[in-house]
């Protein structure tokens, strides 16, 4: 399946109730040959408005931290486990996650990343695919709110940057 066809399926998805409260789906974005895939838990309000992942406050903080470490966001494929915004930005339910996992697995199959970076709670829900390296890091929204998490996040992104240099 092509990414365009997959994105169309995601945009028209009605497998769970989340589409009813969302403006639009947020399939994800980035190069189809990305070495690294960033996976969050679910899109927020700004993502729902724009249809793009990690463009709100947490996304801006993520971008800033990536740039500080020499990582170009445009080289990463960025997506979420759940493809529609959850009401009140609540944690997605098990059935909502189960409904969306096939989409994430297909994205992984198409892109074939070397590393998947799981942001925050995505680490608990994301499937593990054999042959791919997984890195769990603090979610940028938690890093923005808590100084101790901010330092840990920055350290983790710096370690990711070093790992990316090894892949080049």
């Amino acid at each position: 399946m092509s990414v365009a066809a997959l994105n169309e399926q995601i945009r028209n998805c009605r497998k769970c109730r989340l589409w009813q409260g969302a403006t639009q789906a947020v399939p994800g974005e980035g190069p189809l040959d990305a070495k690294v895939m960033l996976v969050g838990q679910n899109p927020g309000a700004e993502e729902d408005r724009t249809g793009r992942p990690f463009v709100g406050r947490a996304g801006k903080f993520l971008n800033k931290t990536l740039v500080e470490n020499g990582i170009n966001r445009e080289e990463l494929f960025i997506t979420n486990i759940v493809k529609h915004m959850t009401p009140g930005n609540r944690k997605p339910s098990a059935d909502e996650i189960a409904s969306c996992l096939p989409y994430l697995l297909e994205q992984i199959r198409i892109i074939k990343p070397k590393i998947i970076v799981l942001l925050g709670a995505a680490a608990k829900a994301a499937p593990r695919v054999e042959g791919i390296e997984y890195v769990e890091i603090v979610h940028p929204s938690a890093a923005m709110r808590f100084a101790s998490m901010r330092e840990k996040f920055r350290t983790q992104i710096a370690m990711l940057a070093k790992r990316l240099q090894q892949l080049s």
Side-chain angles (χ1 to χ4, degrees):
M1 176 180 311
S2 72
V3 167
L6 179 61
N7 288 348
E8 192 61 26
Q9 277 187 12
I10 292 168
R11 285 187 192 97
N12 294 312
C13 184
R14 303 296 181 260
K15 291 181 184 175
C16 76
R17 60 201 161 279
L18 290 180
W19 69 273
Q20 295 170 328
T23 304
Q24 61 186 315
V26 183
E29 66 183 23
L32 303 185
D33 63 349
K35 290 182 179 142
V36 177
M37 181 182 278
L38 262 61
V39 180
Q41 184 171 252
N42 55 289
E46 192 62 20
E47 291 75 15
D48 178 63
R49 189 181 70 71
T50 63
R52 297 184 60 219
F54 283 91
V55 293
R57 285 183 57 234
K60 287 176 177 53
F61 183 72
L62 172 66
N63 292 345
K64 179 177 177 277
T65 310
L66 290 172
V67 167
E68 289 169 358
N69 286 279
I71 300 172
N72 183 354
R73 176 186 167 120
E74 284 73 34
E75 293 175 7
L76 311 174
F77 190 91
I78 304 175
T79 191
N80 289 288
I81 293 172
V82 173
K83 308 302 186 185
H84 285 98
M85 178 180 72
T86 56
N89 203 30
R90 66 160 168 75
K91 180 181 171 194
S93 65
D95 66 309
E96 291 162 348
I97 291 169
S99 294
C100 279
L101 278 182
Y103 298 132
L104 178 60
L105 288 167
E106 185 65 12
Q107 288 173 320
I108 293 168
R109 190 195 66 72
I110 292 168
I111 293 159
K112 298 176 186 66
K114 302 275 186 245
I115 300 173
I116 294 180
V117 178
L118 302 171
L119 302 168
K124 292 183 184 83
R128 302 304 198 268
V129 175
E130 199 172 316
I132 297 175
E133 180 181 340
Y134 285 83
V135 177
E136 297 179 14
I137 67 173
V138 171
H139 196 283
S141 63
M144 287 171 33
R145 286 197 294 269
F146 306 104
S148 63
M149 296 283 209
R150 191 173 312 121
E151 280 314 304
K152 186 175 183 180
F153 177 74
R154 285 194 168 117
T155 300
Q156 290 170 327
I157 294 291
M159 288 170 48
L160 176 63
K162 285 183 184 144
R163 183 68 188 100
L164 289 176
Q165 287 175 341
Q166 294 168 352
L167 287 178
S168 297

